[in-house]
Amino acid sequence: MARHEVNPFAEKQRRFPCRAYISRDEPWRPADHEEIEAACRRIANGAEYLIWTGSRGPELDCTVIGFDSSKKASEMQVWIDTSDIADRPAAHG
């Protein structure tokens, strides 16, 4: 019998099918990470969410934020668009 390898990260991504996207090539500053996390916590309201860097298709070069509902993903996308976080200065290392 063949064993099926499980990808825990892919499994977690599937649990959050509703997504918001931040299109940005430059690295984030620590303050931006903190602000994004705070917005996610507020919008998720105690529920889980997942943030990752997209690597293919429409998610390429985006920070992807997954939620369990389209309402939360839409609210996050509104925050992203109104905060102009994608256009802030990049981190310099």
Side-chain angles (χ1 to χ4, degrees), residues 19-33:
R19 299 172 181 174
Y21 302 94
I22 307 173
S23 180
R24 181 179 170 107
D25 295 326
E26 300 295 323
W28 294 107
R29 296 177 304 167
D32 295 327
H33 276 291

Side-chain angles (χ1 to χ4, degrees), residues 40-61:
C40 288
R41 284 191 303 273
R42 179 181 55 78
I43 290 166
N45 194 26
E48 288 184 296
Y49 59 90
L50 182 65
I51 301 172
W52 69 93
T53 301
S55 60
R56 64 178 91 121
E59 298 178 355
L60 186 63
D61 294 328

Side-chain angles (χ1 to χ4, degrees), residues 4-82:
H4 177 68
E5 291 292 321
V6 176
N7 180 335
F9 184 71
E11 291 292 320
K12 197 167 189 179
Q13 283 178 308
R14 280 192 278 283
R15 289 196 349 244
F16 304 104
C18 304
R19 299 172 181 174
Y21 302 94
I22 307 173
S23 180
R24 181 179 170 107
D25 295 326
E26 300 295 323
W28 294 107
R29 296 177 304 167
D32 295 327
H33 276 291
E34 292 169 13
E35 191 173 348
I36 292 166
E37 284 283 347
C40 288
R41 284 191 303 273
R42 179 181 55 78
I43 290 166
N45 194 26
E48 288 184 296
Y49 59 90
L50 182 65
I51 301 172
W52 69 93
T53 301
S55 60
R56 64 178 91 121
E59 298 178 355
L60 186 63
D61 294 328
C62 288
T63 296
V64 183
I65 306 164
F67 293 95
D68 60 356
S69 77
S70 60
K71 181 180 179 198
K72 292 173 189 172
S74 294
E75 188 175 340
M76 186 67 192
Q77 194 66 58
V78 167
W79 179 85
I80 290 165
D81 295 342
T82 59

